[in-house]
């Protein structure tokens, strides 16, 4: 259990994977249990990919800001006076204290430790009692920038300064989302659910990416959507999961008044899941946050037509919280325990070449992207 995988471990982690999902094994259990792989995940995957932060409404106005942590690093996203969206490491250039907390509006950024004050573009505006310092010019001091992008109504950041834009990396994802949710940037926050899960984050993603388990473990969900129409397609750094709403009375929640009749879901590499359930126009964002080798946080943010959920949305939130999530958390925590035994190293990927929901090809696609990132980390 070293701090970082050895060259031999990097070579071994690819064994059993095949580019054809019908011939492939899943990712090795070591990648889900050994702390050395969590370090690679944090530093070479999470810190080098586009990570979801919030809906654009949080930072729409000049002076608005929101703070978050990405790969264990504090980040602040700010809309400056000219309307330019910026992101910084949320760290003062004097003694490294955190600058902003939570979210809100401000006209300047002042460190609560020694009152060093920055403009909203990140330039140091003033620092108390520094008039006698030699070769000290506040205009030469700037907060450290982080890449930030507004994409399909949401804000994403990337700690890798060399990363290409999310728009360029994601192919047709923007067009797909806007086709199904053209009003996404006008939706407003309605509700948040949070979960603390005793599982590696990759098990949480794996579970999300296949509905092979749905007929066994999510019987209510299989009445919410028409499983015969469930189609999963992989593209570049995302996959799309589409199905019509169920035609019969379902046991999940009442959709009789739903004007949106399509179950449209997108997974964006590596940790963002966007979901549009039957009901009013809405978007649910599942953000998967790796915390430790066997601990993951999840947030489900519901963006709706109005701040208050309607009757159908309240029922959907209750179903997701008290039924669907309970079922899924039990599954991934059981899988994590199983991976910690000598009984399991890899399992066979189950693939339907027709791309049905009862297939694990999107999970295989995720594993391919992981192994590509691991290959780059190995040099």
């Amino acid at each position: 259990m070293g701090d970082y995988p050895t060259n031999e471990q990097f070579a071994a982690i690819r064994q059993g994977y095949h580019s054809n999902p019908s011939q492939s094994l899943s990712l090795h259990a070591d990648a889900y249990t050994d702390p050395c792989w969590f370090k690679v995940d944090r530093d070479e995957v999470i810190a080098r990919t586009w990570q979801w932060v919030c809906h654009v409404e949080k930072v729409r106005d000049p002076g608005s800001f929101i703070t978050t942590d990405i790969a264990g690093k504090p980040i602040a996203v700010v809309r400056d006076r000219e309307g330019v969206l910026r992101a910084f490491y949320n760290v003062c250039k004097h003694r490294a204290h955190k600058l902003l907390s939570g979210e809100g509006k401000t006209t300047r950024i002042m460190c609560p430790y020694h009152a060093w004050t920055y403009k909203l573009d990140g330039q140091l505006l003033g620092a108390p009692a520094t008039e006698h310092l030699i070769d000290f010019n506040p205009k030469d001091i700037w907060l450290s920038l982080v890449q930030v992008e507004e994409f399909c109504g949401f804000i994403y950041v990337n700690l890798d300064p060399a990363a290409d834009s999310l728009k360029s990396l994601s192919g047709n994802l923007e067009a797909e989302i806007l086709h199904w949710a053209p009003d996404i940037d006008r939706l407003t926050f309605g509700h948040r659910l949070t979960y603390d899960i005793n599982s590696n984050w990759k098990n949480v993603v794996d579970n999300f990416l296949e509905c092979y388990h749905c007929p066994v473990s999510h019987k209510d969900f299989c009445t919410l959507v028409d499983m015969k129409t469930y189609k999963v397609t992989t593209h570049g750094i995302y996959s799309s999961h589409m199905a019509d709403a169920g035609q019969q009375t379902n046991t999940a929640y009442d959709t009789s008044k739903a004007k949106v009749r399509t179950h449209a879901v997108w997974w964006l590499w590596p940790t963002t899941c966007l979901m549009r359930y039957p009901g009013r126009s809405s978007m649910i964002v599942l953000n998967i946050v790796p915390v430790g080798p066997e601990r993951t946080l999840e947030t489900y943010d519901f963006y709706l037509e109005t701040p208050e959920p309607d009757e159908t949305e309240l029922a959907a939130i209750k179903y997701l919280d008290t039924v669907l999530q309970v079922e899924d958390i039990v599954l991934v925590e059981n899988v994590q325990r199983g991976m910690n035994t000598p009984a399991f190293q890899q399992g066979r990927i189950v693939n339907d070449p027709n791309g049905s929901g009862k297939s694990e090809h999107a999970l295989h696609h995720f594993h391919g992207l992981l192994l590509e990132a691991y290959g780059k980390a190995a040099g």
Side-chain angles (χ1 to χ4, degrees):
M1 297 286 184
D3 291 334
Y4 206 75
T6 63
N7 289 338
E8 291 76 15
Q9 285 174 298
F10 271 115
I13 204 70
R14 293 193 60 86
Q15 292 179 6
Y17 175 84
H18 194 283
S19 59
N20 183 346
S22 292
Q23 294 180 254
S24 187
L25 295 177
S26 62
L27 193 64
H28 280 259
D30 291 351
Y32 299 79
T33 59
D34 192 330
C36 73
W37 288 108
F38 180 77
K39 182 173 176 59
V40 179
D41 289 346
R42 184 191 62 198
D43 297 346
E44 306 297 338
V45 177
I46 305 302
R48 294 185 181 275
T49 52
W50 287 97
Q51 295 291 309
W52 181 87
V53 177
C54 64
H55 190 273
V56 67
E57 71 172 352
K58 292 284 189 182
V59 287
R60 185 169 275 145
D61 300 328
S64 54
F65 71 88
I66 189 168
T67 62
T68 189
D69 281 358
I70 303 294
K73 306 294 190 296
I75 303 297
V77 177
V78 180
R79 184 79 67 176
D80 73 13
R81 291 175 180 270
E82 285 70 44
V84 177
L85 189 66
R86 302 179 184 275
F88 314 100
Y89 283 98
N90 192 16
V91 175
C92 184
K93 287 295 186 177
H94 174 222
R95 293 273 297 283
H97 196 280
K98 182 171 70 172
L99 294 166
L100 294 168
S101 297
E103 59 186 75
K105 282 191 176 183
T106 187
T107 57
R108 58 183 183 171
I109 302 170
M110 187 173 75
C111 180
Y113 195 8
H114 299 100
W116 279 39
T117 304
Y118 302 83
K119 295 192 292 184
L120 297 182
D121 63 3
Q123 185 184 59
L124 183 63
L125 186 61
T130 56
E131 60 272 14
H132 300 298
L133 298 184
I134 299 170
D135 296 329
F136 179 82
N137 184 353
K139 293 183 178 180
D140 294 334
I141 298 175
W142 294 76
L143 298 178
S144 295
L145 283 169
V146 170
Q147 286 209 71
V148 62
E149 188 170 341
E150 182 179 334
F151 180 81
C152 285
F154 294 107
I155 305 301
Y156 296 81
V157 299
N158 194 323
L159 304 190
D160 182 359
D164 290 336
S165 71
L166 179 54
K167 185 179 179 67
S168 66
L169 289 170
S170 58
N172 291 326
L173 178 59
E174 182 177 35
E176 275 195 41
I177 292 175
L178 294 180
H179 171 76
W180 294 104
D183 60 346
I184 190 168
D185 64 332
R186 300 189 298 277
L187 298 176
T188 189
F189 176 76
H191 192 75
R192 168 171 278 197
L193 299 172
T194 60
Y195 305 94
D196 194 333
I197 303 172
N198 295 318
S199 172
N200 186 272
W201 71 278
K202 296 187 290 295
N203 267 328
V204 177
V205 175
D206 285 350
N207 182 71
F208 181 87
L209 288 176
E210 51 92 355
C211 218
Y212 183 41
H213 70 282
C214 293
V216 179
S217 303
H218 300 316
K219 296 188 185 303
D220 298 307
F221 179 81
C222 290
T223 67
L224 178 64
V225 304
D226 182 354
M227 289 299 293
K228 295 190 298 293
T229 67
Y230 205 120
K231 180 81 171 177
V232 179
T233 313
T234 61
H235 325 254
I237 64 166
Y238 75 97
S239 56
S240 57
H241 308 242
M242 303 289 176
D244 295 337
Q247 300 303 310
Q248 74 276 31
T249 301
N250 78 78
T251 57
Y253 64 92
D254 182 13
T255 58
S256 60
K257 300 178 182 177
K259 65 180 182 182
V260 172
R261 302 295 301 172
T262 302
H263 175 74
V265 174
W266 298 270
W267 167 78
L268 174 61
W269 158 258
T271 53
T272 304
C273 308
L274 306 171
M275 297 173 278
R276 190 168 168 87
Y277 275 26
R280 283 196 301 178
S281 182
S282 65
M283 189 64 73
I284 308 168
V285 181
L286 163 57
N287 189 34
I288 298 168
V289 183
V291 177
E294 302 195 27
R295 184 180 174 215
T296 302
L297 298 181
E298 283 185 336
T299 58
Y300 277 81
D301 284 348
F302 294 76
Y303 295 94
L304 312 171
E305 293 182 13
T306 58
E308 293 298 324
D310 69 9
E311 183 179 357
T312 299
E313 288 158 352
L314 286 171
I317 291 168
K318 182 179 180 181
Y319 162 69
L320 200 154
D321 186 34
T322 64
V323 179
L324 191 62
Q325 272 298 96
V326 172
E327 293 167 344
D328 274 332
I329 290 172
V330 168
L331 292 174
V332 298
E333 290 186 343
N334 265 292
V335 168
Q336 189 68 35
R337 285 191 290 270
M339 285 183 167
N340 273 297
T341 72
F344 183 84
Q345 273 300 308
Q346 289 174 286
R348 190 64 185 258
I349 295 291
V350 175
N351 180 53
D352 176 3
N354 294 317
S356 74
K358 298 177 184 179
S359 176
E360 296 177 324
H361 59 287
L363 181 153
H364 173 266
H365 171 241
F366 167 49
H367 292 179
L369 291 170
L370 275 169
L371 290 172
E372 182 181 342
Y374 290 173
K376 291 178 181 178

